[in-house]
């Protein structure tokens, strides 16, 4: 195997991380809206 070639466990972990990030980022627009609403209610 060449130096730097990903192993099966590292490919699996990279896939898990990508999946977790995708799940986290799906909630991002809703959180932005919550903070905008809070700022609006606070008069900003």
């Amino acid at each position: 195997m060449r130096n730097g070639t990903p192993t099966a466990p590292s490919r699996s972990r990279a896939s898990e991380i990508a999946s977790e990030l995708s799940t986290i980022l799906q909630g991002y627009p809703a959180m932005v809206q919550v903070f905008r609403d809070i700022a609006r209610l606070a008069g900003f």
Side-chain angles (χ1 to χ4, degrees):
M1 196 179 307
R2 294 185 309 173
N3 189 20
T5 302
T7 62
S10 67
R11 285 193 307 269
S12 175
R13 182 64 186 138
S15 176
E16 289 173 14
I17 291 171
S19 176
E20 290 170 7
L21 285 174
S22 175
T23 300
I24 291 167
L25 292 175
Q26 283 177 356
Y28 180 74
M31 289 307 298
V32 169
Q33 186 61 47
V34 167
F35 286 115
R36 284 183 182 158
D37 291 343
I38 292 169
R40 183 177 49 83
L41 290 171
F44 292 108

